[in-house]
């Protein structure tokens, strides 16, 4: 039967069983790796590492070095003639005034046997019986003991150790046991550890030498043929070794056991890593190899079990809540329809009941069938399994609620907040903050007081107290996290409102706030911002529509005026060809021709102003030498300025300044400015033209801007200027209020619009009767060409110019009368 043909309920059951089985396999792998661990090494190095490179090998080697020096230290204490001497004195104690006794090794052994101890062949003592009635434990002061051969005491000296004879005897036998075990393991029986410690008295006549070794033929050369070695001469404090580390106390121990007053001694120790004999090193090597196999097996179980457990869990996550395959509706169980908090409490109580059942039944069964050393592990496994099952059931219940969209809306907190929201809606922010803070402080105080009451007033078992206190702490943490969520949510709402206001202030009038993310007073504020946005957008659309209608009206009317006006001009020309002799009629024709030409100019200016202000112009951008263009303009207007006795003074740098602009439109700007100066400048005055390059430009953010060429034209007005500079750039506005001169009031407006279309700046400054216009364009950096010399006049800094013989093909030689706005 195919798996897909099974019912959804059967698929869920199979997936759940497989999940638990392979979860058990995964934890079995973890347990196998834990029992055969090599923490910090990694799975690859565990597989490839040799036993000799492990810390355990180094620790065993250092333990053996310490045992060797302990053997050397106690050799003279326990041995005579190469064997254990039971007649040697091992202990001297004072039991009272003039009552000092000495005990040999045989005396101590006899005494311990009388106290019920039994010794094996390695002198290890074990209590086997109760001592006889006449045996008594004697206490006194220790004068000397073989367990500490270098220390000698007197019972008259304060601080002398007082102990029982049994206690000291056991210490001596324990030391003898360690000594004899080292002797048997490293000297009597074959060992993979080869060592030699030699002290040589080269200053005596007999050249005495004392050697402790299990390989007397060992030399520094043969030592290095072994896998691991350590060589320490007496005249050095550093080992010659290939081990990872050597204990530093062995350096001092080598010198401390020197029986001669010389530095001619050394230590040789090495491990034959071919392991020809069976000892602790070979056994540890075999155990390490077994650990490697178990560790790899545990890792395989961990990966296999974890992957399949994860896949089954993901499958259960996908199908949880669905009754049939392909069904998108979510089916809730009976306990899923309760409030979210009720479900959490219910599964928590179910888990607690599972813990109680484990403690009362399953743990006792485990104690009956498992050995005592496995009881603690089995208890942890059972409790972990119960906790995991309870947490898994709760998780899937919450998951089904989440899929159905009821995890929050079905909670008691949500219902309570919905009922309490009536107290907050319509209230001021200050009132809401005060009420919220008081409620927050009250709930936290209640939870903290409850935790204190449980600890101080409730008399239950420690487990129950811990459990109840943990639940209170969990409730306190959950409450504070919920408060943090609300504060964070309100902060996000305020940020969204602030962003909306900033974007509206920046001119984005169509921006709308998503009201689904707001509630309470913030919802009302966001809705009002949206209403403001709609009002601004509506007003802006009306303004754009009005401007478009104005532009269309100007264009259409101008076109309708130009058609009959062209006919009038043509007929005036035809009348002049009739050779009329009447002076009166000729004067009439002059007036008619002058007024019709002015009307034509005004009509053309209207169309151009409309196109310039709306940006409905096609620009032909090219590289223009701005200084050459200014000189060209100076030449065009020099004769015209002279007719009103106006002196043109130009100051310009001796370099080429290129800008990117439309030559025809830029000529139009300069022409309007020069015409404006011609009409309104005071006669017999000067007109100043200044061209500079502004290199150091830094904006408000501290960023360096590209250099600009700045053009300035200044003159003294013939009439008082009682108007602001920004008003002069408006349409049909003239500085000549009496309108004694001819002009349309559009010249400066057209110049400003054309300048801004070419990404330049246009500014008018009025200071008393001083009228100044300033243009600025970004300079296009280019290698400097050779500049033709200009004829200096007036001074070294200023020049009076006429139009140079420079042809600018992109600038038409047309002119029109313009008015100062």
């Amino acid at each position: 039967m195919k798996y897909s043909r099974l019912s959804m309920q059967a698929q869920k059951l199979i997936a759940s069983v497989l999940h638990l089985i392979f979860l058990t396999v995964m934890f079995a792998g973890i347990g196998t790796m834990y029992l055969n661990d090599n923490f910090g090494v990694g799975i690859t190095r565990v597989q490839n590492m040799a036993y000799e490179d492990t810390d355990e090998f180094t620790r065993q080697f250092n333990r053996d070095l310490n045992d060797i020096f302990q053997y050397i230290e106690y050799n003279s204490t326990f041995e005579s003639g190469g064997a254990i001497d039971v007649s040697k004195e091992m202990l001297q104690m004072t039991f009272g005034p003039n009552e000092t006794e000495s005990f040999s090794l045989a005396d101590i052994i006899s005494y311990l046997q009388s106290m019920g101890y039994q010794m094996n062949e390695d002198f290890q003592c074990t209590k086997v019986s109760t001592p006889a009635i006449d045996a008594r434990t004697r206490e006194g002061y220790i004068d000397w003991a073989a367990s500490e051969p270098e220390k000698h005491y007197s019972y008259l000296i304060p601080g002398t150790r007082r102990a029982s004879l049994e206690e000291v005897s056991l210490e001596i036998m324990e030391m003898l046991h360690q000594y004899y075990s080292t002797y048997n393991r490293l000297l009597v029986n074959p060992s993979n550890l080869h060592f030699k410690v030699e002290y040589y008295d080269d200053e005596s006549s007999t050249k005495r030498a004392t050697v402790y070794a299990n390989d007397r033929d060992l030399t520094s050369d043969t030592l290095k043929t072994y896998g691991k070695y350590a060589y320490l001469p007496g005249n050095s404090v550093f080992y010659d070794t290939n081990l990872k580390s050597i204990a530093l106390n062995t350096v001092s121990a080598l010198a401390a056991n020197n029986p001669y007053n010389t530095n001619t001694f050394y230590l040789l120790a090495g491990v034959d890593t071919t392991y020809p004999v069976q000892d602790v090193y070979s056994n540890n090597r075999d155990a390490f190899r077994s650990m490697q196999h178990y560790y790899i097996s545990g890792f395989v179980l961990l990966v296999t079990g974890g992957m399949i457990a994860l896949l089954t869990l993901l499958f259960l996550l996908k199908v949880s809540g669905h009754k049939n395959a392909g069904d998108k509706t979510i089916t809730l169980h009976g306990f899923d329809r309760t409030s979210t908090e009720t479900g959490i409490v219910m599964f928590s109580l179910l888990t607690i009941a599972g813990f109680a059942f484990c403690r009362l039944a399953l743990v006792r069964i485990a104690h009956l069938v498992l050995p005592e050393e496995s009881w603690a592990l089995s208890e942890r496994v059972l409790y972990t399994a119960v906790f995991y099952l309870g947490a898994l059931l709760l998780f899937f219940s919450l998951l089904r609620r989440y899929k159905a969209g009821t995890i929050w809306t079905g909670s008691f907190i949500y219902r309570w907040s919905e009922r309490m929201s009536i107290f907050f809606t319509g209230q001021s922010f200050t009132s809401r903050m005060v009420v919220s803070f008081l409620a927050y402080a009250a709930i936290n105080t209640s939870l903290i007081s409850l935790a204190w009451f449980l600890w101080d007033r409730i008399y239950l078992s420690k487990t129950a107290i811990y459990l109840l206190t943990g639940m209170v702490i969990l409730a306190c943490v959950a409450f504070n996290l919920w408060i943090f969520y609300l504060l964070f949510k309100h902060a996000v709402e305020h940020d969204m409102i602030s962003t909306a206001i900033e974007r509206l202030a920046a001119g984005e009038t169509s921006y709308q706030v998503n009201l689904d993310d707001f509630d309470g007073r913030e919802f009302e504020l966001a809705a009002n911002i949206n209403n403001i946005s709609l009002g601004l957008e509506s007003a802006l659309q009306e303004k754009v529509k009005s401007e478009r209608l104005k532009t269309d009206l100007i264009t259409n009317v101008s076109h309708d005026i130009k058609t009959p006006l062209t006919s009038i001009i043509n007929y005036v020309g035809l009348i002049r060809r009739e050779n009329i002799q009447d002076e009166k009629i000729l004067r009439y024709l002059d007036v008619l021709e002058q007024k019709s030409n002015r009307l034509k100019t005004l009509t053309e200016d209207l169309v151009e102003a409309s196109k310039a202000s709306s940006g409905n112009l096609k620009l032909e951008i090219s590289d223009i030498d701005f200084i050459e263009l200014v000189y060209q303009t100076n030449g065009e207007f020099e004769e015209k300025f002279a007719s009103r006795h106006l002196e043109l003074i130009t100051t310009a740098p001796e370099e080429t300044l290129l800008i990117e602009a439309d030559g025809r439109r830029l000529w139009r700007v300069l022409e309007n400015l020069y015409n404006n100066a011609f009409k309104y400048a005071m006669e017999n005055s000067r007109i100043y033209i200044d061209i500079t390059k502004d290199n150091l430009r830094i904006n408000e953010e501290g960023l360096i801007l590209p250099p600009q060429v700045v053009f300035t034209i200044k003159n003294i007005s013939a009439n008082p200027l009682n108007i602001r500079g920004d008003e002069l750039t408006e349409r049909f506005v003239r500085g000549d209020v009496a309108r004694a001169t001819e002009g349309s009031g559009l010249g400066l407006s057209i110049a400003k619009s054309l300048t801004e279309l070419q990404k330049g700046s246009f500014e008018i400054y009025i200071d008393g009767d001083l009228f100044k216009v300033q243009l600025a364009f970004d300079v296009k950096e280019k290698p400097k060409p050779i500049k033709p010399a200009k004829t200096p006049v007036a001074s070294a800094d200023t020049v009076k110019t006429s139009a140079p013989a420079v042809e600018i093909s992109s600038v038409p030689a047309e002119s029109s009368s313009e008015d100062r706005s």
Side-chain angles (χ1 to χ4, degrees), residues 408 412-423 519:
W408 169 243
F412 173 77
I413 296 176
Y414 174 79
R415 297 170 188 171
W416 177 78
S417 62
E418 284 291 309
R419 294 175 183 176
M420 294 297 293
S421 63
I422 190 174
F423 297 103
D519 55 13

Side-chain angles (χ1 to χ4, degrees), residues 453-464:
F453 181 78
L454 290 173
W455 274 95
D456 193 63
R457 301 287 180 177
I458 301 298
Y459 299 98
L460 296 173
S461 64
K462 272 192 174 183
T463 303

Side-chain angles (χ1 to χ4, degrees), residues 20 31 67 84 123 159 168 183 216 346 420 432 449 524 535 558 613 652 682 709 731 807-808:
L20 295 177
D67 289 345
I84 301 296
F123 297 98
V168 180
Y183 173 75
R216 289 184 172 270
M346 182 176 65
M420 294 297 293
R432 291 172 56 192
S449 301
E524 297 178 1
S558 299
S613 62
M682 181 182 293
V709 55
R731 297 180 190 175
E807 180 182 354
I808 302 177

Side-chain angles (χ1 to χ4, degrees), residues 237-258:
V237 293
F238 298 103
Y239 275 94
D240 178 12
T241 180
N242 61 354
L243 277 86
K244 295 173 65 175
S245 62
I246 299 292
L248 295 178
N249 62 335
T250 57
V251 177
S252 58
L254 180 63
N257 289 292
N258 184 11

